[in-house]
Amino acid sequence: STVMNITFFVGALGLVFLTISTSLRIDWMLFPTFLLIGFMSVVTGLFTVQTGLLYPEGKSRDRVISGLNALLDAGGMTYLVLWFVVENTEFSLPAISGLYLGLYVLIMGVATFCWIQVHKLRMWQEPLNVVDDSFDDEAMKQPKHEDMTMTGTTIEVADEYAENEGNLAVSASGDDPCDTCEVGGQSECTTRNDTAIDPKKSYTIIAMRPPSKQLMSKQFLALAGFFAFHQSHNTWILTTTKDFLSFLGDDEYGNKYLSIFTLLTPVSILGLPFVDIILRKYGYSIGLHFINLLGIAVGLVKVTSTNLSVQVVGFVMYSFYRCFVFSITFSCLPTFLGIDVLGKGCGFLILYGGILSFIVNIPLSNVTMNRLGRDFFLANLLYLIGCLPCVALCEIVRKGFAVEKAAKQS
């Protein structure tokens, strides 16, 4: 609720700056305007996960997170609506900015009020599954073991990431990787590839580690790298589609295909049932592989055809791709990060994606526009090839889930 209060104030201030700068034509004021509105947009996007945590773990939580992310994608329609308003009405930019400010105060004000009420209700509830962060790194280095309970499962806490993580196997459907698992003095958990987990090598569930160790876990870093690439790819498509289609001749059709691209943005909502089916039947790791497949499909359409009508197929695939990237990734995080670290985890995912986008997309667009004559073939080919290393990152995440499952059942 505190974060929402700050976000509400920052976003409102940004829109006030926008109204002033457009009314008085003060160009320099647009820079703090974009910074403030950008901060508000990012934090509001992160609240899709926090809202999902209000629901029970499983289908309900995943559907809420996925649905909110799809609605966020549908907001891309705003550009087309604004274009229609400018072309067909007498509304000026200052008037539109003022209208936005009024709608923002109404909608975000209600959202902030609701989060305050949620906070008050939770203050009266008994905390559930709260991880004790009082132990420090030094305590984790101690050789002794102690029993800790998490969601009804007792596990042995140790100080090292499981060394046999790479030897675990789990089926593509995300089923339990263990055929048998006996608990006892000499117990062991045998995987389907007959690789045994040595009970003497204890494994600390990621959610039970100190916050810094959770964010440095192999599973989180792999997911962060995976998301950073696909977020950068998503940003590249959003920011270059107009010039890409223009190079293919869309200007001659009055930006017809750019309008189609924008109109198809809300199609991402139609991807929600497919996200739900994939997560329920096959699990998160296979869902991440589907993201790769969609990214490859989008890239193939761009590099193999200059026909504008064929690009429409790529628009549809992109809408599904965008839905899958955010829905599956953010639904995946709460399954292994602790609740107290989840907000930081989401923030770092967005941060890493932003950094990669800044490092890659700006130079790439400059080269494409100024040295390659606005030909996007090479840039799109690089992003297509970039999807291949992401397969390895998916495998790291899959093996991480296998280790977590085996540890919880041992």
Side-chain angles (χ1 to χ4, degrees):
S1 61
T2 302
V3 174
M4 278 298 290
N5 280 323
I6 296 173
T7 304
F8 173 74
F9 174 77
V10 169
L13 185 60
L15 288 171
V16 168
F17 280 10
L18 179 63
T19 304
I20 295 174
S21 63
T22 53
S23 299
L24 303 179
R25 298 184 181 277
I26 306 175
D27 293 343
W28 65 264
M29 192 174 286
L30 290 174
F31 290 101
T33 296
F34 293 151
L35 287 174
L36 293 170
I37 294 178
F39 175 84
M40 178 271 297
S41 299
V42 171
V43 175
T44 302
L46 295 179
F47 261 82
T48 59
V49 179
Q50 298 297 329
T51 303
L53 292 178
L54 299 177
Y55 293 81
E57 184 177 356
K59 289 183 180 180
S60 298
R61 178 180 295 178
D62 290 344
R63 287 171 178 171
V64 169
I65 295 175
S66 299
L68 290 175
N69 276 292
L71 289 174
L72 190 63
D73 291 341
M77 279 287 291
T78 302
Y79 304 112
L80 194 61
V81 173
L82 288 175
W83 178 59
F84 176 83
V85 170
V86 171
E87 293 292 326
N88 297 278
T89 69
E90 297 298 327
F91 276 100
S92 62
L93 188 55
I96 295 174
S97 302
L99 180 62
Y100 256 112
L101 177 58
L103 289 174
Y104 175 86
V105 171
L106 176 63
I107 296 172
M108 284 293 290
V110 172
T112 303
F113 173 78
C114 290
W115 272 103
I116 292 174
Q117 299 308 308
V118 168
H119 177 71
K120 289 180 179 178
L121 288 173
R122 288 203 154 195
M123 290 293 290
W124 292 96
Q125 294 177 349
E126 181 180 358
L128 298 176
N129 299 331
V130 176
V131 180
D132 184 8
D133 290 331
S134 59
F135 51 88
D136 54 16
D137 291 351
E138 292 300 323
M140 294 296 292
K141 295 178 182 178
Q142 299 300 322
K144 66 178 182 180
H145 303 295
E146 62 183 283
D147 287 338
M148 295 184 67
T149 302
M150 179 180 181
T151 61
T153 303
T154 302
I155 65 172
E156 193 176 26
V157 177
D159 58 346
E160 296 181 356
Y161 194 90
E163 296 179 1
N164 58 344
E165 178 182 17
N167 298 324
L168 285 174
V170 63
S171 67
S173 62
D175 293 334
D176 182 0
C178 302
D179 283 332
T180 59
C181 188
E182 300 177 0
V183 179
Q186 301 295 326
S187 65
E188 66 178 20
C189 180
T190 306
T191 62
R192 290 193 178 95
N193 66 346
D194 297 324
T195 301
I197 298 177
D198 187 350
K200 296 181 180 179
K201 294 182 178 179
S202 302
Y203 173 83
T204 307
I205 298 296
I206 294 177
M208 286 187 169
R209 302 175 191 177
S212 60
K213 291 187 178 294
Q214 291 187 45
L215 297 176
M216 291 300 294
S217 64
K218 186 186 297 185
Q219 188 161 341
F220 176 77
L221 292 178
L223 185 64
F226 175 88
F227 180 77
F229 171 81
H230 285 291
Q231 186 189 0
S232 180
H233 189 195
N234 171 66
T235 303
W236 172 259
I237 295 173
L238 279 177
T239 55
T240 62
T241 294
K242 182 180 184 299
D243 294 307
F244 171 67
L245 294 177
S246 176
F247 179 78
L248 299 183
D250 190 33
D251 290 346
E252 300 175 8
Y253 296 93
N255 293 320
K256 170 185 173 182
Y257 290 91
L258 179 62
S259 300
I260 294 175
F261 172 79
T262 307
L263 283 170
L264 286 175
T265 303
V267 170
S268 59
I269 296 177
L270 300 180
L272 291 178
F274 297 97
V275 171
D276 193 59
I277 292 172
I278 290 171
L279 292 184
R280 299 282 73 78
K281 289 192 66 176
Y282 303 107
Y284 294 99
S285 57
I286 299 302
L288 295 177
H289 280 299
F290 264 91
I291 293 174
N292 260 338
L293 288 176
L294 287 170
I296 291 172
V298 171
L300 284 174
V301 172
K302 286 180 174 291
V303 301
T304 59
S305 177
T306 57
N307 188 307
L308 284 168
S309 297
V310 174
Q311 296 302 320
V312 176
V313 178
F315 299 162
V316 176
M317 290 181 177
Y318 169 69
S319 294
F320 279 81
Y321 169 66
R322 191 177 179 187
C323 174
F324 274 57
V325 167
F326 292 96
S327 298
I328 293 179
T329 304
F330 284 128
S331 295
C332 177
L333 271 184
T335 62
F336 66 89
L337 285 185
I339 293 179
D340 57 328
V341 184
L342 190 57
K344 297 183 182 69
C346 294
F348 276 115
L349 287 187
I350 298 295
L351 175 63
Y352 296 152
I355 292 174
L356 184 63
S357 180
F358 180 81
I359 294 174
V360 175
N361 288 348
I362 293 179
L364 196 58
S365 62
N366 286 333
V367 171
T368 300
M369 298 297 289
N370 301 322
R371 297 188 180 182
L372 300 178
R374 300 163 68 95
D375 185 350
F376 284 82
F377 175 81
L378 180 60
N380 290 330
L381 180 62
L382 289 175
Y383 265 113
L384 174 60
I385 296 173
C387 290
L388 300 180
C390 289
V391 175
L393 296 177
C394 290
E395 282 300 295
I396 294 175
V397 175
R398 181 187 67 81
K399 291 176 181 178
F401 275 123
V403 174
E404 292 271 302
K405 286 184 179 182
K408 289 177 182 178
Q409 295 189 0
S410 64

mmCIF file of all heavy atoms in Angstrom, residues 325-356:
data_model
loop_
_atom_site.group_PDB
_atom_site.id
_atom_site.type_symbol
_atom_site.label_atom_id
_atom_site.label_comp_id
_atom_site.label_asym_id
_atom_site.label_seq_id
_atom_site.Cartn_x
_atom_site.Cartn_y
_atom_site.Cartn_z
ATOM 1 N N VAL A 325 5.411 -14.279 -22.744
ATOM 2 C CA VAL A 325 6.634 -13.806 -22.091
ATOM 3 C C VAL A 325 6.348 -13.318 -20.676
ATOM 4 O O VAL A 325 6.970 -13.764 -19.700
ATOM 5 C CB VAL A 325 7.299 -12.680 -22.915
ATOM 6 C CG1 VAL A 325 8.383 -11.986 -22.084
ATOM 7 C CG2 VAL A 325 7.903 -13.240 -24.186
ATOM 8 N N PHE A 326 5.399 -12.408 -20.558
ATOM 9 C CA PHE A 326 5.142 -11.799 -19.253
ATOM 10 C C PHE A 326 4.305 -12.712 -18.354
ATOM 11 O O PHE A 326 4.563 -12.813 -17.155
ATOM 12 C CB PHE A 326 4.448 -10.447 -19.440
ATOM 13 C CG PHE A 326 5.332 -9.414 -20.073
ATOM 14 C CD1 PHE A 326 5.292 -9.180 -21.441
ATOM 15 C CD2 PHE A 326 6.223 -8.690 -19.304
ATOM 16 C CE1 PHE A 326 6.122 -8.234 -22.022
ATOM 17 C CE2 PHE A 326 7.063 -7.737 -19.875
ATOM 18 C CZ PHE A 326 7.016 -7.516 -21.245
ATOM 19 N N SER A 327 3.309 -13.379 -18.908
ATOM 20 C CA SER A 327 2.417 -14.206 -18.088
ATOM 21 C C SER A 327 3.156 -15.380 -17.468
ATOM 22 O O SER A 327 3.074 -15.618 -16.258
ATOM 23 C CB SER A 327 1.246 -14.713 -18.936
ATOM 24 O OG SER A 327 0.467 -13.649 -19.423
ATOM 25 N N ILE A 328 3.896 -16.117 -18.273
ATOM 26 C CA ILE A 328 4.564 -17.325 -17.774
ATOM 27 C C ILE A 328 5.740 -16.968 -16.870
ATOM 28 O O ILE A 328 5.930 -17.579 -15.809
ATOM 29 C CB ILE A 328 5.018 -18.206 -18.949
ATOM 30 C CG1 ILE A 328 3.791 -18.763 -19.676
ATOM 31 C CG2 ILE A 328 5.916 -19.340 -18.466
ATOM 32 C CD1 ILE A 328 4.112 -19.634 -20.871
ATOM 33 N N THR A 329 6.525 -15.975 -17.255
ATOM 34 C CA THR A 329 7.692 -15.613 -16.439
ATOM 35 C C THR A 329 7.279 -15.128 -15.055
ATOM 36 O O THR A 329 7.817 -15.574 -14.032
ATOM 37 C CB THR A 329 8.526 -14.529 -17.135
ATOM 38 O OG1 THR A 329 8.900 -14.968 -18.440
ATOM 39 C CG2 THR A 329 9.782 -14.227 -16.327
ATOM 40 N N PHE A 330 6.313 -14.214 -15.001
ATOM 41 C CA PHE A 330 5.902 -13.672 -13.709
ATOM 42 C C PHE A 330 5.088 -14.681 -12.896
ATOM 43 O O PHE A 330 5.054 -14.597 -11.668
ATOM 44 C CB PHE A 330 5.121 -12.378 -13.911
ATOM 45 C CG PHE A 330 5.988 -11.202 -14.261
ATOM 46 C CD1 PHE A 330 5.707 -10.412 -15.365
ATOM 47 C CD2 PHE A 330 7.096 -10.893 -13.508
ATOM 48 C CE1 PHE A 330 6.513 -9.325 -15.694
ATOM 49 C CE2 PHE A 330 7.917 -9.824 -13.826
ATOM 50 C CZ PHE A 330 7.627 -9.033 -14.919
ATOM 51 N N SER A 331 4.422 -15.617 -13.554
ATOM 52 C CA SER A 331 3.727 -16.678 -12.818
ATOM 53 C C SER A 331 4.724 -17.674 -12.240
ATOM 54 O O SER A 331 4.463 -18.313 -11.220
ATOM 55 C CB SER A 331 2.746 -17.422 -13.741
ATOM 56 O OG SER A 331 1.705 -16.576 -14.173
ATOM 57 N N CYS A 332 5.866 -17.795 -12.905
ATOM 58 C CA CYS A 332 6.899 -18.746 -12.478
ATOM 59 C C CYS A 332 7.605 -18.288 -11.205
ATOM 60 O O CYS A 332 7.930 -19.111 -10.339
ATOM 61 C CB CYS A 332 7.896 -18.921 -13.621
ATOM 62 S SG CYS A 332 9.299 -19.984 -13.269
ATOM 63 N N LEU A 333 7.845 -17.002 -11.077
ATOM 64 C CA LEU A 333 8.637 -16.479 -9.948
ATOM 65 C C LEU A 333 8.129 -16.899 -8.569
ATOM 66 O O LEU A 333 8.921 -17.332 -7.726
ATOM 67 C CB LEU A 333 8.716 -14.958 -10.022
ATOM 68 C CG LEU A 333 9.872 -14.345 -10.813
ATOM 69 C CD1 LEU A 333 9.830 -12.836 -10.696
ATOM 70 C CD2 LEU A 333 11.214 -14.871 -10.319
ATOM 71 N N PRO A 334 6.811 -16.765 -8.281
ATOM 72 C CA PRO A 334 6.352 -17.092 -6.921
ATOM 73 C C PRO A 334 6.499 -18.561 -6.550
ATOM 74 O O PRO A 334 6.345 -18.906 -5.381
ATOM 75 C CB PRO A 334 4.858 -16.698 -6.952
ATOM 76 C CG PRO A 334 4.722 -15.754 -8.092
ATOM 77 C CD PRO A 334 5.723 -16.205 -9.096
ATOM 78 N N THR A 335 6.794 -19.422 -7.522
ATOM 79 C CA THR A 335 6.900 -20.846 -7.223
ATOM 80 C C THR A 335 8.214 -21.222 -6.547
ATOM 81 O O THR A 335 8.315 -22.300 -5.977
ATOM 82 C CB THR A 335 6.741 -21.683 -8.504
ATOM 83 O OG1 THR A 335 7.802 -21.354 -9.420
ATOM 84 C CG2 THR A 335 5.403 -21.414 -9.173
ATOM 85 N N PHE A 336 9.230 -20.329 -6.626
ATOM 86 C CA PHE A 336 10.488 -20.689 -5.958
ATOM 87 C C PHE A 336 11.099 -19.548 -5.143
ATOM 88 O O PHE A 336 11.981 -19.799 -4.314
ATOM 89 C CB PHE A 336 11.514 -21.226 -6.976
ATOM 90 C CG PHE A 336 11.995 -20.230 -7.990
ATOM 91 C CD1 PHE A 336 13.100 -19.434 -7.741
ATOM 92 C CD2 PHE A 336 11.349 -20.092 -9.209
ATOM 93 C CE1 PHE A 336 13.550 -18.522 -8.680
ATOM 94 C CE2 PHE A 336 11.797 -19.196 -10.164
ATOM 95 C CZ PHE A 336 12.904 -18.410 -9.901
ATOM 96 N N LEU A 337 10.660 -18.304 -5.350
ATOM 97 C CA LEU A 337 11.161 -17.207 -4.520
ATOM 98 C C LEU A 337 10.272 -17.013 -3.303
ATOM 99 O O LEU A 337 9.070 -17.255 -3.354
ATOM 100 C CB LEU A 337 11.198 -15.904 -5.317
ATOM 101 C CG LEU A 337 12.310 -15.721 -6.359
ATOM 102 C CD1 LEU A 337 12.239 -14.310 -6.944
ATOM 103 C CD2 LEU A 337 13.693 -15.983 -5.781
ATOM 104 N N GLY A 338 10.857 -16.561 -2.201
ATOM 105 C CA GLY A 338 10.080 -16.250 -1.011
ATOM 106 C C GLY A 338 9.237 -15.009 -1.234
ATOM 107 O O GLY A 338 9.590 -14.126 -2.019
ATOM 108 N N ILE A 339 8.129 -14.913 -0.539
ATOM 109 C CA ILE A 339 7.213 -13.786 -0.717
ATOM 110 C C ILE A 339 7.900 -12.466 -0.408
ATOM 111 O O ILE A 339 7.665 -11.451 -1.055
ATOM 112 C CB ILE A 339 5.967 -13.979 0.169
ATOM 113 C CG1 ILE A 339 5.151 -15.168 -0.334
ATOM 114 C CG2 ILE A 339 5.108 -12.716 0.169
ATOM 115 C CD1 ILE A 339 3.923 -15.454 0.495
ATOM 116 N N ASP A 340 8.790 -12.474 0.586
ATOM 117 C CA ASP A 340 9.466 -11.245 0.978
ATOM 118 C C ASP A 340 10.494 -10.784 -0.050
ATOM 119 O O ASP A 340 10.956 -9.647 -0.009
ATOM 120 C CB ASP A 340 10.142 -11.423 2.337
ATOM 121 C CG ASP A 340 11.127 -12.578 2.348
ATOM 122 O OD1 ASP A 340 10.878 -13.564 1.625
ATOM 123 O OD2 ASP A 340 12.136 -12.511 3.066
ATOM 124 N N VAL A 341 10.870 -11.674 -0.976
ATOM 125 C CA VAL A 341 11.876 -11.345 -1.993
ATOM 126 C C VAL A 341 11.228 -11.155 -3.367
ATOM 127 O O VAL A 341 11.860 -10.650 -4.283
ATOM 128 C CB VAL A 341 12.937 -12.467 -2.063
ATOM 129 C CG1 VAL A 341 14.052 -12.135 -3.040
ATOM 130 C CG2 VAL A 341 13.535 -12.715 -0.677
ATOM 131 N N LEU A 342 9.977 -11.535 -3.481
ATOM 132 C CA LEU A 342 9.318 -11.570 -4.785
ATOM 133 C C LEU A 342 9.300 -10.209 -5.472
ATOM 134 O O LEU A 342 9.558 -10.098 -6.678
ATOM 135 C CB LEU A 342 7.887 -12.097 -4.626
ATOM 136 C CG LEU A 342 7.142 -12.425 -5.912
ATOM 137 C CD1 LEU A 342 7.915 -13.436 -6.735
ATOM 138 C CD2 LEU A 342 5.753 -12.958 -5.585
ATOM 139 N N GLY A 343 8.997 -9.155 -4.715
ATOM 140 C CA GLY A 343 8.967 -7.822 -5.312
ATOM 141 C C GLY A 343 10.318 -7.422 -5.874
ATOM 142 O O GLY A 343 10.418 -6.880 -6.979
ATOM 143 N N LYS A 344 11.379 -7.718 -5.114
ATOM 144 C CA LYS A 344 12.730 -7.412 -5.593
ATOM 145 C C LYS A 344 13.045 -8.234 -6.838
ATOM 146 O O LYS A 344 13.664 -7.732 -7.787
ATOM 147 C CB LYS A 344 13.765 -7.707 -4.505
ATOM 148 C CG LYS A 344 13.628 -6.877 -3.237
ATOM 149 C CD LYS A 344 14.739 -7.203 -2.270
ATOM 150 C CE LYS A 344 14.610 -6.426 -0.949
ATOM 151 N NZ LYS A 344 13.459 -6.875 -0.147
ATOM 152 N N GLY A 345 12.618 -9.492 -6.823
ATOM 153 C CA GLY A 345 12.866 -10.361 -7.973
ATOM 154 C C GLY A 345 12.222 -9.824 -9.235
ATOM 155 O O GLY A 345 12.856 -9.767 -10.302
ATOM 156 N N CYS A 346 10.964 -9.412 -9.138
ATOM 157 C CA CYS A 346 10.259 -8.828 -10.290
ATOM 158 C C CYS A 346 10.955 -7.562 -10.761
ATOM 159 O O CYS A 346 11.120 -7.332 -11.969
ATOM 160 C CB CYS A 346 8.812 -8.517 -9.921
ATOM 161 S SG CYS A 346 7.789 -9.961 -9.576
ATOM 162 N N GLY A 347 11.377 -6.748 -9.802
ATOM 163 C CA GLY A 347 12.057 -5.508 -10.152
ATOM 164 C C GLY A 347 13.359 -5.759 -10.893
ATOM 165 O O GLY A 347 13.670 -5.078 -11.877
ATOM 166 N N PHE A 348 14.124 -6.746 -10.432
ATOM 167 C CA PHE A 348 15.390 -7.052 -11.095
ATOM 168 C C PHE A 348 15.164 -7.623 -12.495
ATOM 169 O O PHE A 348 15.964 -7.368 -13.403
ATOM 170 C CB PHE A 348 16.216 -8.027 -10.253
ATOM 171 C CG PHE A 348 17.026 -7.355 -9.183
ATOM 172 C CD1 PHE A 348 16.761 -7.588 -7.838
ATOM 173 C CD2 PHE A 348 18.055 -6.485 -9.510
ATOM 174 C CE1 PHE A 348 17.499 -6.955 -6.840
ATOM 175 C CE2 PHE A 348 18.803 -5.850 -8.527
ATOM 176 C CZ PHE A 348 18.524 -6.085 -7.191
ATOM 177 N N LEU A 349 14.102 -8.381 -12.684
ATOM 178 C CA LEU A 349 13.799 -8.886 -14.026
ATOM 179 C C LEU A 349 13.597 -7.727 -14.996
ATOM 180 O O LEU A 349 14.154 -7.707 -16.105
ATOM 181 C CB LEU A 349 12.537 -9.757 -14.004
ATOM 182 C CG LEU A 349 12.634 -11.147 -13.380
ATOM 183 C CD1 LEU A 349 11.340 -11.912 -13.606
ATOM 184 C CD2 LEU A 349 13.795 -11.942 -13.955
ATOM 185 N N ILE A 350 12.776 -6.762 -14.578
ATOM 186 C CA ILE A 350 12.533 -5.590 -15.426
ATOM 187 C C ILE A 350 13.815 -4.782 -15.622
ATOM 188 O O ILE A 350 14.109 -4.308 -16.727
ATOM 189 C CB ILE A 350 11.446 -4.693 -14.800
ATOM 190 C CG1 ILE A 350 10.111 -5.445 -14.702
ATOM 191 C CG2 ILE A 350 11.268 -3.421 -15.612
ATOM 192 C CD1 ILE A 350 9.498 -5.798 -16.030
ATOM 193 N N LEU A 351 14.599 -4.647 -14.549
ATOM 194 C CA LEU A 351 15.847 -3.882 -14.624
ATOM 195 C C LEU A 351 16.820 -4.512 -15.618
ATOM 196 O O LEU A 351 17.384 -3.813 -16.477
ATOM 197 C CB LEU A 351 16.496 -3.799 -13.244
ATOM 198 C CG LEU A 351 17.873 -3.119 -13.184
ATOM 199 C CD1 LEU A 351 17.758 -1.654 -13.597
ATOM 200 C CD2 LEU A 351 18.467 -3.246 -11.785
ATOM 201 N N TYR A 352 17.023 -5.831 -15.510
ATOM 202 C CA TYR A 352 17.954 -6.501 -16.416
ATOM 203 C C TYR A 352 17.488 -6.376 -17.859
ATOM 204 O O TYR A 352 18.298 -6.169 -18.776
ATOM 205 C CB TYR A 352 18.082 -7.980 -16.039
ATOM 206 C CG TYR A 352 18.686 -8.223 -14.676
ATOM 207 C CD1 TYR A 352 18.382 -9.365 -13.941
ATOM 208 C CD2 TYR A 352 19.574 -7.305 -14.112
ATOM 209 C CE1 TYR A 352 18.929 -9.589 -12.693
ATOM 210 C CE2 TYR A 352 20.126 -7.519 -12.859
ATOM 211 C CZ TYR A 352 19.803 -8.667 -12.151
ATOM 212 O OH TYR A 352 20.338 -8.891 -10.919
ATOM 213 N N GLY A 353 16.166 -6.511 -18.075
ATOM 214 C CA GLY A 353 15.639 -6.357 -19.426
ATOM 215 C C GLY A 353 15.855 -4.957 -19.962
ATOM 216 O O GLY A 353 16.182 -4.771 -21.141
ATOM 217 N N GLY A 354 15.668 -3.961 -19.093
ATOM 218 C CA GLY A 354 15.881 -2.583 -19.509
ATOM 219 C C GLY A 354 17.335 -2.308 -19.849
ATOM 220 O O GLY A 354 17.638 -1.614 -20.833
ATOM 221 N N ILE A 355 18.248 -2.850 -19.033
ATOM 222 C CA ILE A 355 19.677 -2.647 -19.285
ATOM 223 C C ILE A 355 20.084 -3.285 -20.609
ATOM 224 O O ILE A 355 20.783 -2.670 -21.433
ATOM 225 C CB ILE A 355 20.518 -3.223 -18.130
ATOM 226 C CG1 ILE A 355 20.298 -2.406 -16.851
ATOM 227 C CG2 ILE A 355 21.998 -3.241 -18.501
ATOM 228 C CD1 ILE A 355 20.974 -2.988 -15.628
ATOM 229 N N LEU A 356 19.637 -4.523 -20.841
ATOM 230 C CA LEU A 356 19.989 -5.200 -22.089
ATOM 231 C C LEU A 356 19.402 -4.469 -23.293
ATOM 232 O O LEU A 356 20.064 -4.324 -24.330
ATOM 233 C CB LEU A 356 19.487 -6.642 -22.062
ATOM 234 C CG LEU A 356 19.863 -7.492 -23.277
ATOM 235 C CD1 LEU A 356 21.377 -7.644 -23.365
ATOM 236 C CD2 LEU A 356 19.206 -8.870 -23.213
#
